[in-house]
């Protein structure tokens, strides 16, 4: 790989943007295509459909014209808002499933390394911590504190960033009130529809570990669905 191409690829990786390295196997010629360059309204690339499909699936592939599409998609992250019992069960399971997992909770009595060994813990308010954390379309956010002062700012940031999964703990009544608050902050009904609440798949979960299983399953389902819109957003 040419040094300039490698530098461009590393820059996309550092910015957590999806891209494809296209290699003509006959000539060895290579080029880098960013997800933003695959906008259907303006793209002229004959390999665009194949690249869109490969990006949506997150899989490298060989195409009929003899080109190899090496897909580079950022690894998925999970940000848990709330150092709560559900998070204690969910964080290790999510790490086993391949998610780069972080706990965020401004309540220092709960957000401790002792309660969350081997998981990064940020003991800050979301509005302070999230700009440097850098939410993006390859991040899942689960708001679990039941405290609007903590959950709402995190949900606002997650919706604005286009996170691939956004979930919030609480009953339907609690969520209805939450939606009213977020709508008053200027979010459209369409944008707020992306929030999964009550959080987790409906499997009858009752205990914190069971709820953690339901939440992780819902996150994985969201991650594995074809998501070209998410990829485009990440590259913008």
């Amino acid at each position: 790989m040419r040094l300039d191409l490698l530098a461009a690829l590393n820059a996309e990786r550092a910015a957590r943007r999806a891209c494809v390295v296209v290699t003509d196997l006959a000539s060895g010629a290579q080029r880098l295509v960013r997800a933003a360059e695959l906008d259907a309204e303006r793209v002229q690339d004959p390999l665009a459909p194949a690249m869109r499909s490969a990006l949506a699936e997150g899989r490298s592939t060989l195409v009929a014209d003899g080109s190899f599409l090496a897909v580079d998609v950022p690894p998925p992250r999970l940000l848990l808002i709330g150092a709560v019992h559900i998070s204690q069960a969910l964080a290790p399971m999510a790490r086993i499933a391949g998610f780069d997992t972080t706990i965020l909770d401004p309540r220092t009595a709960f957000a401790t390394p002792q309660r969350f060994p081997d998981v990064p813990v940020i003991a800050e308010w979301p509005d302070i911590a999230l700009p440097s954390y850098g939410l993006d379309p390859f991040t899942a956010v689960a708001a679990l504190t039941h405290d609007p002062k903590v959950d709402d700012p995190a949900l606002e940031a997650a919706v604005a960033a286009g996170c691939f999964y956004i979930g919030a703990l609480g009953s339907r009544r609690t969520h209805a009130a939450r939606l009213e608050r977020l709508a008053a902050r200027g979010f459209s009904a369409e944008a707020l529809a992306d929030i999964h609440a009550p959080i987790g798949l409906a499997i009858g979960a009752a205990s914190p570990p069971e709820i953690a299983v339901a939440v992780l399953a819902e996150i994985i389902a969201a991650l594995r669905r074809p998501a070209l819109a998410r990829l485009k957003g990440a590259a913008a």
Side-chain angles (χ1 to χ4, degrees), residues 78-88 90-91 103-105 107 141-147 150-151 155 165 167-170 178 199 211-212 215:
L78 172 59
L79 180 64
L80 300 176
I81 309 300
V84 297
H85 292 313
I86 296 172
S87 297
Q88 285 182 296
L90 180 52
I103 308 288
L104 189 154
D105 195 325
R107 302 170 300 180
V141 173
L144 304 170
T145 72
H146 260 311
D147 184 345
V150 181
D151 286 349
L155 292 171
Y165 174 87
L169 192 66
R178 178 188 294 130
I199 197 170
I211 295 170
V215 172

Side-chain angles (χ1 to χ4, degrees), residues 1-17 19 21 32 34 72:
M1 183 177 290
R2 301 191 317 269
L3 288 180
D4 61 331
L5 188 64
L6 179 60
L9 176 60
N10 286 336
E12 295 305 299
R13 287 172 172 169
R16 289 182 55 83
R17 292 191 293 257
C19 60
V21 175
L32 184 142
R34 297 167 180 84
D72 200 281

Side-chain angles (χ1 to χ4, degrees), residues 64-179:
D65 79 333
S67 296
F68 183 72
L69 309 181
V71 170
D72 200 281
V73 176
R77 298 185 298 174
L78 172 59
L79 180 64
L80 300 176
I81 309 300
V84 297
H85 292 313
I86 296 172
S87 297
Q88 285 182 296
L90 180 52
M93 287 194 294
R95 292 186 69 220
I96 291 171
F99 291 88
D100 181 356
T101 304
T102 301
I103 308 288
L104 189 154
D105 195 325
R107 302 170 300 180
T108 54
F110 299 101
T112 66
Q114 291 74 26
R115 297 186 72 231
F116 295 93
D118 302 322
V119 177
V121 176
I122 304 173
E124 289 281 2
W125 291 93
D127 57 345
I128 295 174
L130 291 182
S132 58
Y133 176 83
L135 293 174
D136 61 37
F138 300 94
T139 303
V141 173
L144 304 170
T145 72
H146 260 311
D147 184 345
K149 296 191 302 297
V150 181
D151 286 349
D152 283 10
L155 292 171
E156 288 184 30
V159 171
C163 292
F164 79 85
Y165 174 87
I166 307 168
L169 192 66
S171 66
R172 288 179 173 80
R173 182 175 179 179
T174 296
H175 187 54
R178 178 188 294 130
L179 293 178

Side-chain angles (χ1 to χ4, degrees), residues 26-37:
S27 67
Q30 292 184 304
R31 57 192 175 98
L32 184 142
V33 180
R34 297 167 180 84
E37 297 167 1

